[in-house]
Amino acid sequence: MKKRILKLSLWLIAGFALLFLFRIAYSYAEKDVYDGDDGGFGYLSGSSITRKNYASDSYKFKKEDQSSGGGAMEINMSPVEVSVSQKYEKTATIGAKSEDFEKDEKDVKKQIKSYNAIIQYEENTGNKGNRRINLMIGVKPEKFDSFYLVMKKMAHTKSAEITKVDKTSEYKALNAQRISLEKTRQSLVELKKQTGKIDEFVNLENRILEIEGQLQDLGVSLGDFDSENEFCTINFSMYEGKIVKQSLIHRVKVSLEWTITYYYWVVIILLLIGAASFVLLLVVEKLKVLQAIIRKLNS
């Protein structure tokens, strides 16, 4: 019995040691931890930017022309090329963390300059060791994809996404509103040529000034859609974080805690399996005895 207990103890110790060594070896394969607060890592959280960048694109497709021909029953089915213009807003959001913040910041601005992009908004926060920079970058639509791939390689990218939203209907609505206001203003200007009371002329002039103010606001909004100001947006956010090297004592501590926890559950599971197997064997033996008794009674 003593030999069996000693042998079982040695097996348990060997199993514990193997699991502990495995966890130690695995800790060296883990990535080092970054020490730095990402602040929730939401781009420009708490900042309100009204600047929008829009771009345009043209599509051509063939459509069957079903107009009537010369005869009453003759229909022309020849394809007709149709051009469609689209206004859209395309935005990429990139979040990154940096160990060498100053170097990565210089590299980012160097790439912005090389692509002839424009920094439309810049926000710098935090002190050394916990700095953060947020950039809103306008880039020409034809350079957007390549610039996006380059910016993803800056520092260590944590998140990246692209969003494209159609703005054609909004652009058409602004144009229709402008035309309507211009017609209203023209009608009011014509009314000024007629005779009337002074207070009526004052109210009329105030209404004209109000419409002109609305037209100016519309002009600013429509100016964003102008082909000369076409840009796509790259929202780039980067925070500073230093790599923390794990010491040997820390690795041993974490590995020991992990091994004790999981080895405890492994032993419990093995005991439960053993107990269940023992009970099952007893049931099987009882059934065999019962079957033997039945056979004797039948004989």
Side-chain angles (χ1 to χ4, degrees), residues 218-230:
L218 275 175
V220 173
S221 299
L222 286 169
D224 292 335
F225 288 95
D226 193 359
S227 58
E228 294 181 357
N229 301 322
E230 286 187 349

Side-chain angles (χ1 to χ4, degrees), residues 150-169:
V150 168
M151 293 300 290
K152 278 181 66 177
K153 296 177 182 178
M154 295 290 102
H156 179 70
T157 302
K158 294 287 290 181
S159 62
E161 63 177 3
I162 296 177
T163 305
K164 184 178 180 180
V165 181
D166 182 73
K167 293 290 181 177
T168 307
S169 57

Side-chain angles (χ1 to χ4, degrees), residues 2 11 14 23 65 72 128 131 166 171 179 199-200 204 212 221 245 251 260-261 268 285-286:
K2 290 181 179 179
W11 275 108
R23 185 61 182 86
D65 184 12
K128 189 172 183 179
R131 290 171 291 185
D166 182 73
Y171 175 68
I179 293 171
D199 56 346
E200 292 177 348
L204 189 61
E212 286 179 349
S221 299
K245 300 290 185 181
R251 294 179 192 275
I260 291 172
T261 301
I268 292 296
E285 289 297 327
K286 293 293 183 183

Side-chain angles (χ1 to χ4, degrees), residues 43-44 49-55 88-94 117-121 134-145 147-148 151 161-165 224 229-236:
Y43 175 76
L44 297 178
I49 302 177
T50 57
R51 171 70 184 179
K52 296 289 184 181
N53 290 319
Y54 302 107
Y88 64 90
E89 180 185 11
K90 195 172 184 179
T91 306
T93 303
I94 302 172
I118 300 174
I119 298 177
Q120 298 171 320
Y121 181 87
N134 295 314
L135 297 173
M136 180 179 179
I137 308 162
V139 61
K140 287 295 182 180
E142 60 272 13
K143 296 181 179 180
F144 177 84
D145 293 331
F147 185 62
Y148 171 74
M151 293 300 290
E161 63 177 3
I162 296 177
T163 305
K164 184 178 180 180
V165 181
D224 292 335
N229 301 322
E230 286 187 349
F231 290 105
C232 291
T233 306
I234 299 280
N235 293 328
F236 182 81

